[in-house]
Amino acid sequence: MELETLSIRLLRDAVSELQHGFARLPPLEAEAPDSARFASILGETARRMQNNLPYFHPLYAGQMLKPPHPVARAAYAMATWINPNNHALDGGRASSEMEKEAVAEIAAMFGWQTHLGHLTGGGTMANLEALWMAGQLYPGKAILASSQSHYTHERISAVLKLPFDKVAADSSGRMDVTALESRLQRGDVGCVVATLGTTGFGAVDPLPEILRLRDQYGFRVHADCAYGGYFTLADNLNAPARAAYDALPQVDSIVVDPHKHGLQPYGCGCILFRDPSLGTHYRHDSPFTYFSSAELHLGEISLECSRPGASAVALWATQRLLPLVRGGEFADSLSTCRRAALAMAEHVRANRKFILTVQPELDIVVWAVRAESASEASSLAQRVFDEAAKNDLHLALIRVPAELLPELTPDQPTVLCLRSVLMKPEHEAWLPEILDRLSKAVEAAEKPLQ
Ligand SMILES: *Cc1c(COP(=O)(O)O)cnc(C)c1O
């Protein structure tokens, strides 16, 4: 196994290109790091970093972890020689422009020709801005999200001091619209969060039905697409998921995480609002921010102040290489991940040792190890997880409500299940190897029981 290092040469060329832009400045003695100490500390750092699971390798098929594209890595590193701050144009002129362009491309992917939006530190901060806006427009009204939504919504609502309620999920892991409607009848709801791609199952909430209820009850619809947003480009979604993605242009706000499926290093989320005039809610009168021109400074439409221009540079470069268009190379890579998940789900379904929880809607597969009871299935799942890891196959674990697995005696409220996020396109080609190691792990897990 070798890590990709070819881009280091390209990075060196890019840094030379960058310095041409500053050639007329008087020379500055480059601060020569004490090279022996530098090298030894860097080596020590690399050894410390060996204590990680191989997130970049297809045999890592556990949590939502995907390596950044080499062009993102190189562009990010190159930008750190300037270290721009995208708070104000004065601190990051080029990178602020690149952020506006890259974010407009993401908005266009969702069908919005105009928008208000920017990059954030991640999905949590982006969702915080969406719910904060809901609180600005519907002060004191409740936020609703499904029981399968990300736990961040409940916590963010507490931070914003907005009431929060969970809506039940159905047996597919999607928001139950009947439960939603009966909660709406209380009349105190300001915003419903629709998750397109839940973190656990990758389930897609029924957005068209939620939007119909919006017409009737009047609330904001926020789409949390932190994980699943880019799947709008895939060509092999099931019909309900396709309908949900096709309804996205009608929501009020969207969150997507370029640092999940968008090939970016961590620290890159994105918030989009459909109505550009909402920007006035961010108004502040900082005495020290250097808003020097009439042009839009991103700090005027963001809750975070300093933000890494390098994130925007990396995203912009990645989208130049891999445009966010249907039928393109990037879109194909998402369809490939989904195909891998469908094939894995088929294998799980056909194997009498497993029980598939829900049919995958994106590229996440969740399954139980068959046993008599919820507790036995849970301890078996833990053992399979451990045995697989010993053989370098890294899966994830998830607690699933026992109602989703009626085959098991419900002697406890949840069942520990195995979960695999197949978010690297290479997972498709590696699936036979993954399945082989999985069956060996099951054999090993069963042994002590006999
Ligand atoms: C990951 C995720 C979040 C949280 O985003 P971070 O980038 O981890 O802060 C929120 N919602 C969903 C659906 C997610 O998958």
Side-chain angles (χ1 to χ4, degrees), residues 64 122-124 127 150 152-153 195 197 199 224 226-227 257 259-260:
M64 290 172 171
T124 303
N127 277 303
H150 198 284
T152 196
H153 295 288
T195 308
T199 313
D224 181 2
Y227 183 70
D257 262 352
H259 71 200
K260 284 204 179 125

Side-chain angles (χ1 to χ4, degrees), residues 71-72 75-76 98 102 264 312-322:
V71 79
Y76 193 105
M98 289 156 115
Q264 299 308 298
V313 173
L315 183 65
W316 185 89
T318 308
Q319 290 177 193
R320 289 285 282 184
L321 188 67
L322 298 168

Side-chain angles (χ1 to χ4, degrees), residues 170-201:
D170 66 16
S171 60
S172 308
R174 305 175 185 141
M175 182 182 279
D176 181 332
V177 188
T178 317
L180 172 62
E181 179 153 26
S182 63
R183 176 62 186 80
L184 288 169
Q185 279 158 358
R186 279 202 244 158
D188 61 344
V189 174
C191 180
V192 173
V193 179
T195 308
L196 273 65
T198 60
T199 313
F201 297 110

